[in-house]
Amino acid sequence: MFSLNHNWGDDNSLSHTDLQLLEGASGKKAKRKKGKKKKKNIANVSNLRPSSSQQSRSKTPEAKQPDDGSYVKSRSTAQIIRHRSKVDSGKRNVNKFVQRLQAGRFRWVNEKLYTIKGLEAFQMFQNDPNLFHIYHSGFQEQVDKWPVNPLDNIIDLIRNRSKDLVIADLGCGEGRLAQSVPNKVYSIDLASKYDHVIACDMAHTPLEDSSVDMVVFCLALMGTNLLDYMKEANRVLKIKGTLLIAEVCSRIENDSNFIRSLSLFGFKLKEKLMLSKMFVRFELVKVTDKLKKKHIEGADMTTLKPCIYKRRSATEKALDAVHSHFQKILVGLEKHLPKQYLKRRSKTKQG
């Protein structure tokens, strides 16, 4: 408390207690001012910092972003993956459809070859050469699944014989036998895409009488006029010439009846060899040129059943419709193809 005798004009006249009270009041004010300044500074700093929501938004991409700049949003990558999977599945479905269509066309051509005469088959391939490609591409897919290829056995047999033997390969396909042996080989089939293959009806070949030492039918006895094929084989073969026949075992119902029918065309059995559970090979020798009409008419080649693949879901009419429709599509596409592509395609066909 202040004294009653206090002189208000003289600062030195303040008592010790009065000075303490004044100093305490001024100190509290100074502290209050400092506290307000700190709060203002803190508020200013907090205004400069981003909020918690802003920090979370800014941190998420920065944490995933690598230094090399190859950052891609997770959503976009997922969309790309889903899109690619859809495209891949679409391609697989298209490939499956194309494979089924090709398999159906192969079965259709295969059945035709077994149920019509050789001359009709020759004309069919001449009118539509693409059918020959369809058949042999489908046939090659079947060959790749076989444990044994009978043509390989025939090639090995001929390599162990004289190089001077002249051979007629009837139903040669792509003519692989002629390219695998050093002998002179006449490669003959219903259609040809190679220069060394002669395209003709195998019942009427351009070969001269008694001009070859060996005739080969490797899975080639197809059609309804097998008697004409046997007569042609007898005509072109020399006396004591060899006839080789390789066939599917399931086609031959009775071996003895089949061999007897071949004997009526002037052939005598020399060897029967089972190549596997699936294939059998007959080696016969020509013993006579003179064929009696009665004997030929009595020959029963129906013991050799046609090798027709089972249809899975389509009938013959449906396959014909699919084939004709597919041909129309191809013709329509070729009209819109560039000339350079058509030239390349014609060169590949000629090659």
Side-chain angles (χ1 to χ4, degrees):
M1 294 185 66
F2 296 101
S3 63
L4 296 173
N5 297 322
H6 177 64
N7 188 5
W8 293 100
D10 189 3
D11 293 335
N12 295 326
S13 63
L14 292 173
S15 65
H16 180 70
T17 56
D18 295 335
L19 290 172
Q20 286 181 349
L21 289 171
L22 290 172
E23 288 176 0
S26 62
K28 287 179 181 180
K29 289 181 180 180
K31 286 180 181 181
R32 287 175 185 174
K33 289 181 181 179
K34 287 182 180 179
K36 289 181 180 179
K37 288 182 179 179
K38 286 182 180 180
K39 288 181 180 180
K40 288 181 180 180
N41 293 332
I42 291 169
N44 293 331
V45 171
S46 63
N47 290 331
L48 294 174
R49 292 178 183 176
S51 63
S52 60
S53 61
Q54 290 177 349
Q55 288 179 359
S56 61
R57 290 176 187 174
S58 61
K59 284 181 180 179
T60 48
E62 290 176 0
K64 293 183 179 179
Q65 215 168 17
D67 295 335
D68 57 354
S70 61
Y71 169 73
V72 180
K73 291 183 179 179
S74 59
R75 289 184 180 178
S76 62
T77 53
Q79 290 174 356
I80 290 169
I81 292 169
R82 284 196 296 270
H83 176 70
R84 287 178 179 175
S85 63
K86 287 181 181 179
V87 171
D88 293 338
S89 62
K91 288 181 179 179
R92 286 193 296 268
N93 292 333
V94 171
N95 291 333
K96 286 181 181 179
F97 174 77
V98 171
Q99 289 175 0
R100 289 179 182 177
L101 182 61
Q102 290 176 348
R105 298 175 76 192
F106 164 71
R107 290 193 296 271
W108 180 83
V109 176
N110 181 77
E111 184 171 345
K112 283 287 184 182
L113 293 177
Y114 277 104
T115 54
I116 60 178
K117 291 184 178 181
L119 180 60
E120 294 175 359
F122 172 69
Q123 293 173 349
M124 181 180 70
F125 285 134
Q126 292 298 312
N127 295 331
D128 190 356
N130 190 42
L131 292 178
F132 185 76
H133 172 72
I134 291 169
Y135 175 77
H136 278 283
S137 60
F139 179 77
Q140 188 60 44
E141 290 181 3
Q142 301 295 324
V143 172
D144 295 338
K145 299 175 183 178
W146 294 345
V148 177
N149 188 349
L151 182 59
D152 295 333
N153 178 268
I154 292 174
I155 290 172
D156 293 337
L157 183 146
I158 294 173
R159 285 175 177 173
N160 293 325
R161 303 286 175 91
S162 173
K163 296 180 181 179
D164 298 328
L165 295 177
V166 180
I167 302 168
D169 184 11
L170 303 184
C172 66
E174 296 180 350
R176 187 164 73 89
L177 175 61
Q179 298 174 341
S180 304
V181 297
N183 303 68
K184 171 65 177 177
V185 179
Y186 293 102
S187 300
I188 298 173
D189 209 332
L190 297 171
S192 171
K193 64 176 183 178
Y194 298 104
D195 295 335
H196 68 281
V197 178
I198 302 170
C200 67
D201 177 15
M202 292 188 298
H204 304 282
T205 65
L207 302 178
E208 297 180 359
D209 296 347
S210 303
S211 58
V212 299
D213 301 293
M214 182 182 292
V215 172
V216 177
F217 285 101
C218 183
L219 307 176
L221 291 176
M222 307 171 72
T224 57
N225 59 327
L226 298 180
L227 301 178
D228 297 333
Y229 294 165
M230 292 299 104
K231 285 192 293 184
E232 185 67 8
N234 180 279
R235 183 185 71 81
V236 301
L237 261 177
K238 299 176 182 178
I239 294 292
K240 296 183 180 181
T242 302
L243 173 64
L244 288 178
I245 298 176
E247 269 303 336
V248 181
C249 296
S250 60
R251 290 194 65 193
I252 304 171
E253 293 181 335
N254 191 316
D255 288 355
S256 59
N257 290 341
F258 180 66
I259 294 168
R260 178 183 171 278
S261 297
L262 293 176
S263 66
L264 297 176
F265 292 93
F267 299 108
K268 183 179 179 180
L269 180 66
K270 180 179 179 181
E271 182 186 24
K272 174 190 171 182
L273 179 63
M274 292 296 298
L275 303 179
S276 65
K277 294 181 180 180
M278 189 175 179
F279 300 108
V280 60
R281 191 198 74 197
F282 297 95
E283 183 176 355
L284 303 101
V285 179
K286 177 182 173 180
V287 294
T288 182
D289 280 327
K290 298 177 181 179
L291 302 180
K292 295 182 179 181
K293 188 176 181 180
K294 293 181 180 179
H295 292 172
I296 294 172
E297 291 177 351
D300 185 14
M301 294 300 290
T302 58
T303 55
L304 197 63
K305 297 189 299 182
C307 186
I308 298 175
Y309 293 89
K310 294 181 180 179
R311 298 192 196 101
R312 295 176 183 174
S313 60
T315 60
E316 184 177 359
K317 291 182 180 180
L319 288 173
D320 288 340
V322 170
H323 173 256
S324 61
H325 180 67
F326 191 74
Q327 287 297 116
K328 290 178 181 178
I329 293 173
L330 289 178
V331 172
L333 288 174
E334 287 180 354
K335 292 180 181 179
H336 299 284
L337 290 174
K339 295 181 180 180
Q340 295 179 354
Y341 175 80
L342 295 174
K343 287 180 180 179
R344 290 178 185 175
R345 189 178 177 187
S346 62
K347 288 181 180 179
T348 53
K349 284 185 178 180
Q350 292 175 1

